Amino acid sequence: MQLKKCLQVFTVLLCPFLAFSQTTNLPRGDKQEILLDRLEIKAQKDPVLNLSKTKPYSREFVVPAARNYLQVDSALDANLTKVDKYYLKSLLANNLEWVPENEREQYISKKLVGNTFYQYPAGLFETHSKDFDLVVNPVLNVGFMKENNNDQNLFYNTRGVAIRGRIADKVGFYTMLTDNQERYPLYVQDWMEERRAVPGAGFYRTYNEQGGRDFFDARGYVTFGVTKYIDVAFGYDKNFIGNGQRSLFLSDFGNNNLFLKLNTRIWKFNYQNLFMELTNAYQSNAGDDLLGKKYAAMHHLDINLTKWLNVGVFEGIVFGRENRFEFGYMVPVIFYRSVERDQGSPDNAVVGVDLKANVAKTAQVYGQLLFDEFKLSELTGGNGWWANKVGYQVGAKYIDAFKVDNLDLQLELNRVRPYTYSHYDSVANYSHYNQPLAHPLMANFNEWIGVARYRPAPKWMIEGRAMYYKQGLDSNASVNFGSNLFLPNVTRTGDYGHDVGSGWTTNAAMASLLLSYEVKENLFIECMGMIRKQRYDAPPAKATKNSTVFNLGLRWNIGRRDFYF
């Protein structure tokens, strides 16, 4: 609560100085993320799109940048496919507040609904005037699933509304409210029972039969400019750092959180400061009790080292205090480790580097390297010292693969050593609301992910995914092999002999095929089949969990909800 009060005061103090245009962000999972990935690689040297590691994307930057590539005299124009151009126009139609007023007429609908709705094809209610922009859209995600060897009625049912806008070109705002009921396949139900959480959500109630969940999701934020180059966002939502399917720094896998974000974009730099209030271990039977709080502060600096190579530096810290916030961590330009040392080194600090290179206008290689804790002599000793808590990610994207238009491939490796993200107490671990802040597998794993995506024509998409991982699990709460970051690392089995996969070994493989068709702007009919196999090769007995799932659904103005773990 103290952080909330401080952030509110901070926001009020800055508000009188509002003088610069403001925007909202493209929501995570938006269809245009695929297009922006392709444009960045095809352009190779775009100074705006190359600063793409911190997500969600700001409409203020990416929409005008993308708009440039629709111009006839664009050097990139010859490389755009018919599908690229379709989604470029769709991007503009969905973000008219960033389209010049004299160009908006081409997006006006020929037929309005009730003389009020769908004046523009991408917004149920949309208005753009001199000092006010407002877009209101319904949100819907409904479908059913069938799983082999499971007689349960599997489904998901999300209904809500999304609202965004700008006031006097100085304040941006966004909110999305949804009511959700769902029952997913058994492996997801097992995860929820083990973690006492719903992936990506917060407070929940049981719904109907066993395995069902009911929860209300509310997210939103306001944005404003401090100077021409510094933007501020304050709200309750998710953030992501990286270019991969996963992130070892910060992902959007877990629940929303209260945050204050300062983003400085100037010259070849993009510098993000993120301060968050998090929830400690949540118990579903907590009733009306106040949940324990902890806090996180993170810095990420992006540098366009060359026109095609971007390098980043990351640091983050998670900490808990009794009824107070550690204000030393709010300094936006400081090395957190030095502050932590001054406090007696009680907190969980991580640092990392990342890079991304666009190659030959057809490929991108990227990676992350995370250090939670390590000692160089032990790291090179090969003895499996427990505190060598290191993780890395290596990935590549290949667009228009093998000269096939709109065929995109991606391959990614993630490897995280045992005990990474954990801490000696149960508060300062790298988590929020019983869910990891970074990778959903937490630690002690080796994971491969492959994605093949093909858009044969506008509105159509075929996407295949494959995943395999090997992980060393903890046998129970008293035997800690380093996969579960929620267990204090003082309960480890020893100081040496810890390698990736140590413990109760499990191997899991998953493959899925998705067929998606866009009926109208942001309204998708989707059909998916998935096979998942998991094997436990550990005492007391070997076991397998296999699942085949078929899914048919309708999605409107919201991203897909997937469970790849």
Side-chain angles (χ1 to χ4, degrees), residues 38 42 75-81 84 361 400 405:
R38 288 174 54 84
K42 286 191 173 189
L76 184 63
D77 186 72
N79 296 324
L80 294 180
T81 67
D84 287 334
K361 298 186 178 182
D400 295 334
D405 285 351

Side-chain angles (χ1 to χ4, degrees), residues 97 119-120 123-129 131-137 162-167 173 175:
E97 62 267 44
Q119 179 181 0
Y120 301 99
L124 172 68
F125 179 80
E126 189 165 352
T127 183
H128 303 284
S129 63
D131 291 320
F132 188 57
D133 295 282
L134 179 67
V135 181
V136 181
N137 266 316
I163 304 171
R164 78 171 192 269
R166 295 190 303 171
I167 301 173
F173 59 90
T175 185

